[in-house]
Amino acid sequence: MIHATMDTTRLNAIEKSIKGWKSLLSGLTSGLIFYGLLSGLAIYALPFSQYNQFNVLIHTILGLISLVPIGVYCWKHWKTRTGGTLNHYQLLGYSAIVFLVICLITGIVLTGQSLFSNRISSLQSTIHLLSAIIVGLFFALHILTIALRKMKQGKIKTQIKSAQKIFNLWVLSVTFLSVLWGFIGWANYQIPEKFQFFDSQYNWRFGQDKPFQPSLAVLDINDSDQSGHQKNHPLKAANPKYLSRSKSCGSSNCHENIYKEWLPSAHRYSSMDDMFQKVQTIMMTETSPEHTRYCAGCHDPISLLSGAKNSTNVTLGVEGYDEGSSCVVCHSIVKTDVQGNGNYVIHIPDRYLYELNDDPISKLVSDFLIRSYPKHHVQSYSKPLYKTEEFCAACHKQYIDKQVNTDIGKVQGQNQYDSWKNSRWYHKNDPKKSISCRECHMPLQNTADPANGDSSDYYRSPTDNKHRSHRTLATNSYIPQLMKLDGAKKHIQLTESWLQGRIDIPEIADKWVKGPVVSLQVIAPQSITEGERVSVAIAMLNNKAGHDFPTGPLDMIESWVELIVTDQNHKVVFHQGGLDDQNRVDKGATFRADGFDRKGALIDRHNLWDLVGANYKRTLFPGRKDLLQMQFQCPSMARGRVIANQKGEAIGERKDLIQFDTANLQQGINKLHIVAKLWYRKANPEFLNAVYGIGHSKVIPAIMMTEAEQDIQVLHAQ
């Protein structure tokens, strides 16, 4: 009786086993699990490719779909197999289910983060991967131990093997169809070509192998396709879509803060800058459209690298040109040279699926892929090079040679890099003493941006929740206002604060200095006698700037010191360095450069193609001082002060009857108050008149950077 019961129980178990192997739910569920494990490992193991991106999408979609059948199957299987003495088959099965639940939960979390957050959690991703590997091991052991379990010879064994074949067929079919789905998507996907042919009328003025000169920018056209095969292109230009579309970087909760910082920055408006466009038009007229390539390497790289700087293109621009130095342009540079003149190499990274499409669904898919499969994105756009001063030097160093000025030869232009490298702010191989370009111009900002954190700086960590500001604050507060750029108001306020030295940078506070960018000190005698000639010195120190002050196109830029002397009644005794009715500086010490051309005429339109040299240049080297000497006559009580006469004649004209300021005659002058002010503006009126024409309405505001005061006691003569 006992043996009969045991045989019946065993037969029931065998029947359940056969039924389980044949079950559609069992085969479908196991196939989905097997494909999930296989595709998941492929995501981590295979290189970035179009197929592997489809693999990510299908892995996610089938993973979500499989939640229902896997849940139902595990519940039924547990109810069927539970009970009795715990054996190793059950232990393996239970363990597989536990880790499968962990894997599915982390998969759901990662999917949600990829859809609705700005990045996935590295911890969740690691748990998802490890739990999947463990599930695979337990799942394989569980199936194999059951499949290899010894059965009685004969009909039962044959039935079990037949059922197992059905199970295997289901698993392989589901896996094959899922993989095939990915290949079908890959085969039917079309993406715009990364490179395009130059116009048939493209002018190769500077050499058949130098399409972008006189700029020294280079486009790397030899790359690997998304299958890993090397592709050697004939000489081609870039498809502008691959270099523009910066807006996509700041949307969908990704780099929103960085994008907003970049919008009103000089890097963004470098090509749409109205003054640049005016000068480019003059250069095109006086030289050729092809010569404008010289400027475009730094000002308009998208148009340059797309082959738009050519006589066949009236606008000299292209789609996306108004992004200037776009996100992708800067973050696709793989090599630079401190020779300057836009000396860099750009390697255009492969884009994600549908990233170049404009419809909302494509945007959703590409954003999902970037966040769920971020390795390619990070490796393509984040490189150690970007944290070096040499990266900046590619554009922040300039010279003109015979390709531009025809017969003159090499003439040095602006050069921030060498100025910094020879300054007190550079200490070779000692970052704790050196202050780099980005430490000043890209200070840290609190952020939740996915690009936050960095371990390469000694004062940072990978989880510091900070990013480098992409405003690149410097001196230009005019163009954001003129072009009415997004965020212009805040950017202008910050630029003024920057020029005045009122922005603190905590991370470098221990190695930088406090106070204004350029400090002033009035040096004057403590007392003088009325009627005496007074000598006043203004001591200036380039206190904070890591390069010369001022720097940049010094034929346009202008900085000067204004000196105002008033008496105790606040009446002006002496004034130098004010602005006249044409907005020009009235004498005073100016910091700028006056270049001249072949005929000795002033370079007043930023016409560097005519530049021979400079007959005047005054700047302050980093950490160095300059002394400005000024003199004025202290009024005496006897002479009084000349005012308009009864005939209404102006001061300075001959007068029949002179009146004196009787208030001062009675009281006398007993104190003089001296105020020195340092002013800065982006363009001088001579440049504006030459570029826009006399009678233009452009007025570039001057910003007062700092001021200093001093009182002098006036002694009355006996």
Side-chain angles (χ1 to χ4, degrees):
M1 185 69 181
I2 295 174
H3 289 291
T5 303
M6 290 179 63
D7 288 341
T8 302
T9 303
R10 187 173 182 81
L11 286 172
N12 288 336
I14 292 172
E15 288 178 4
K16 286 182 180 179
S17 178
I18 293 172
K19 187 177 180 181
W21 286 112
K22 289 183 176 181
S23 167
L24 170 62
L25 182 61
S26 174
L28 177 63
T29 301
S30 299
L32 289 171
I33 292 174
F34 183 69
Y35 170 75
L37 296 173
L38 187 67
S39 59
L41 291 175
I43 291 170
Y44 285 94
L46 296 180
F48 180 82
S49 65
Q50 291 175 9
Y51 170 74
N52 217 19
Q53 291 177 77
F54 278 107
N55 188 27
V56 172
L57 294 175
I58 297 168
H59 175 88
T60 304
I61 293 169
L62 292 184
L64 294 174
I65 291 174
S66 68
L67 290 173
V68 174
I70 288 176
V72 172
Y73 174 76
C74 288
W75 173 254
K76 285 187 173 183
H77 194 62
W78 179 79
K79 286 194 68 176
T80 302
R81 299 297 180 182
T82 191
T85 305
L86 181 66
N87 55 46
H88 63 283
Y89 304 116
Q90 290 175 317
L91 183 61
L92 286 172
Y94 293 154
S95 299
I97 288 176
V98 170
F99 283 100
L100 179 61
V101 170
I102 294 173
C103 185
L104 292 174
I105 291 174
T106 53
I108 294 170
V109 171
L110 290 171
T111 301
Q113 290 175 338
S114 299
L115 286 170
F116 307 113
S117 183
N118 59 13
R119 61 177 169 178
I120 60 173
S121 164
S122 58
L123 177 61
Q124 294 284 350
S125 180
T126 301
I127 294 174
H128 186 65
L129 175 62
L130 293 178
S131 61
I133 293 173
I134 295 172
V135 166
L137 291 173
F138 285 167
F139 183 76
L141 289 172
H142 181 67
I143 297 296
L144 286 173
T145 53
I146 293 175
L148 297 175
R149 186 166 50 186
K150 291 183 178 181
M151 293 291 178
K152 291 182 179 180
Q153 298 293 327
K155 185 177 180 181
I156 293 176
K157 182 177 180 180
T158 303
Q159 289 178 341
I160 290 177
K161 283 190 173 183
S162 176
Q164 288 174 348
K165 286 181 180 180
I166 295 173
F167 172 82
N168 292 337
L169 182 62
W170 270 114
V171 171
L172 293 175
S173 297
V174 171
T175 303
F176 173 76
L177 290 174
S178 301
V179 172
L180 181 63
W181 186 11
F183 275 104
I184 291 173
W186 176 37
N188 287 279
Y189 178 71
Q190 292 185 341
I191 188 171
E193 287 292 332
K194 193 184 295 185
F195 303 105
Q196 60 188 17
F197 288 105
F198 287 97
D199 187 275
S200 59
Q201 300 299 314
Y202 193 78
N203 192 320
W204 301 88
R205 176 188 292 266
F206 303 103
Q208 291 292 323
D209 59 341
K210 301 172 182 176
F212 308 122
Q213 287 200 6
S215 167
L216 299 180
V218 174
L219 177 65
D220 181 9
I221 57 175
N222 298 316
D223 68 334
S224 298
D225 63 21
Q226 295 203 8
S227 300
H229 298 104
Q230 190 71 19
K231 296 175 69 176
N232 296 311
H233 300 274
L235 199 58
K236 286 186 177 182
N239 181 338
K241 283 188 174 183
Y242 277 85
L243 296 175
S244 55
R245 307 174 73 84
S246 297
K247 186 177 181 179
S248 64
C249 302
S251 59
S252 302
N253 199 29
C254 284
H255 304 293
E256 289 183 0
N257 289 334
I258 290 176
Y259 175 69
K260 288 177 182 177
E261 291 164 352
W262 170 82
L263 275 175
S265 73
H267 285 159
R268 184 274 168 102
Y269 63 70
S270 60
S271 60
M272 64 188 294
D273 178 341
D274 190 57
M275 291 191 289
F276 166 74
Q277 288 292 329
K278 291 288 185 183
V279 172
Q280 179 178 245
T281 300
I282 295 171
M283 185 179 192
M284 177 183 67
T285 303
E286 296 188 1
T287 57
S288 73
E290 292 73 36
H291 277 83
T292 65
R293 297 171 192 167
Y294 169 78
C295 309
C298 294
H299 277 274
D300 192 4
I302 296 176
S303 298
L304 173 73
L305 298 172
S306 302
K309 299 295 182 182
N310 195 55
S311 54
T312 57
N313 182 17
V314 177
T315 65
L316 298 180
V318 74
E319 175 191 1
Y321 92 96
D322 58 341
E323 296 182 31
S325 298
S326 67
C327 303
V328 175
V329 165
C330 279
H331 286 271
S332 296
I333 293 175
V334 295
K335 183 180 179 182
T336 63
D337 192 291
V338 296
Q339 186 177 6
N341 281 12
N343 197 329
Y344 56 78
V345 177
I346 276 189
H347 178 88
I348 303 176
D350 293 325
R351 293 296 190 102
Y352 281 79
L353 297 179
Y354 310 109
E355 192 179 353
L356 297 178
N357 293 5
D358 295 319
D359 61 283
I361 299 299
S362 295
K363 175 65 176 168
L364 178 68
V365 172
S366 63
D367 285 346
F368 173 83
L369 285 169
I370 290 171
R371 288 192 279 257
S372 62
Y373 189 32
K375 185 177 179 180
H376 170 73
H377 185 76
V378 174
Q379 289 181 341
S380 297
Y381 298 117
S382 180
K383 295 181 174 63
L385 172 66
Y386 307 153
K387 302 170 186 179
T388 67
E389 296 73 31
E390 288 69 29
F391 179 66
C392 306
C395 279
H396 291 276
K397 184 175 177 180
Q398 177 192 23
Y399 67 90
I400 301 97
D401 63 13
K402 287 187 177 181
Q403 283 186 325
V404 178
N405 58 28
T406 308
D407 58 343
I408 299 170
K410 191 169 184 177
V411 179
Q412 184 67 55
Q414 57 179 296
N415 185 354
Q416 291 82 25
Y417 174 74
D418 287 334
S419 177
W420 165 81
K421 197 164 186 178
N422 291 307
S423 76
R424 61 175 175 166
W425 304 117
Y426 172 69
H427 299 269
K428 188 175 181 180
N429 299 325
D430 193 348
K432 292 187 177 181
K433 291 183 179 179
S434 297
I435 297 181
S436 66
C437 310
R438 66 195 179 99
E439 286 181 312
C440 276
H441 294 283
M442 302 180 72
L444 296 178
Q445 307 292 309
N446 293 325
T447 187
D449 191 277
N452 79 78
D454 190 352
S455 59
S456 62
D457 292 322
Y458 68 89
Y459 47 79
R460 297 193 63 189
S461 71
T463 56
D464 62 6
N465 292 322
K466 295 181 185 295
H467 74 261
R468 293 265 173 210
S469 170
H470 280 57
R471 290 185 183 277
T472 51
L473 282 177
T475 59
N476 199 332
S477 62
Y478 176 63
I479 298 300
Q481 173 185 328
L482 176 67
M483 308 303 294
K484 299 179 180 178
L485 301 178
D486 292 338
K489 184 177 180 180
K490 182 177 181 180
H491 191 81
I492 291 168
Q493 292 172 346
L494 289 171
T495 300
E496 292 181 359
S497 296
W498 173 259
L499 279 169
Q500 293 162 355
R502 294 189 288 110
I503 292 183
D504 294 324
I505 305 178
E507 58 268 20
I508 59 172
D510 60 334
K511 57 182 179 180
W512 210 22
V513 292
K514 295 185 180 296
V517 174
V518 177
S519 62
L520 298 182
Q521 180 186 2
V522 178
I523 303 173
Q526 291 184 344
S527 62
I528 57 171
T529 303
E530 58 182 0
E532 182 181 343
R533 192 161 187 80
V534 185
S535 293
V536 175
I538 310 298
M540 303 180 65
L541 170 66
N542 186 344
N543 187 43
K544 278 186 172 179
H547 40 67
D548 289 8
F549 173 84
T551 190
L554 295 180
D555 56 310
M556 297 166 50
I557 289 171
E558 189 171 45
S559 182
W560 70 96
V561 174
E562 180 183 20
L563 188 70
I564 306 171
V565 183
T566 57
D567 63 16
Q568 71 271 16
N569 296 315
H570 308 293
K571 293 189 176 181
V572 176
V573 171
F574 176 80
H575 187 194
Q576 182 173 298
L579 298 179
D580 63 17
D581 56 358
Q582 296 183 26
N583 211 30
R584 294 177 301 190
V585 179
D586 176 26
K587 298 181 180 179
T590 58
F591 292 84
R592 55 183 285 179
D594 290 336
F596 57 88
D597 63 13
R598 299 168 183 81
K599 298 179 181 179
L602 183 69
I603 298 294
D604 58 359
R605 297 164 296 139
H606 200 51
N607 47 317
L608 301 182
W609 54 94
D610 292 325
L611 180 64
V612 173
N615 58 9
Y616 173 84
K617 180 180 179 181
R618 191 168 192 172
T619 61
L620 273 171
F621 192 74
R624 299 296 177 86
K625 295 181 179 180
D626 197 353
L627 200 64
L628 309 180
Q629 300 283 354
M630 298 183 184
Q631 289 187 335
F632 64 91
Q633 190 83 24
C634 176
S636 68
M637 183 176 177
R639 292 190 306 158
R641 181 174 302 167
V642 179
I643 62 174
N645 63 17
Q646 292 177 340
K647 294 182 179 180
E649 295 169 322
I651 297 174
E653 295 180 349
R654 181 174 179 176
K655 300 173 175 58
D656 298 323
L657 178 62
I658 296 178
Q659 289 186 333
F660 292 92
D661 186 341
T662 56
N664 274 305
L665 281 172
Q666 294 173 2
Q667 182 180 355
I669 297 176
N670 53 46
K671 185 178 72 172
L672 295 179
H673 183 64
I674 301 174
V675 178
K677 299 180 179 181
L678 177 64
W679 294 91
Y680 177 92
R681 60 183 172 188
K682 193 63 182 176
N684 59 62
E686 291 82 7
F687 167 79
L688 295 176
N689 290 339
V691 170
Y692 289 99
I694 303 297
H696 66 84
S697 59
K698 301 288 187 296
V699 178
I700 295 185
I703 298 173
M704 190 185 75
M705 295 179 59
T706 187
E707 62 180 341
E709 303 178 49
Q710 178 71 39
D711 287 336
I712 301 178
Q713 191 71 29
V714 178
L715 305 176
H716 299 293
Q718 298 297 324

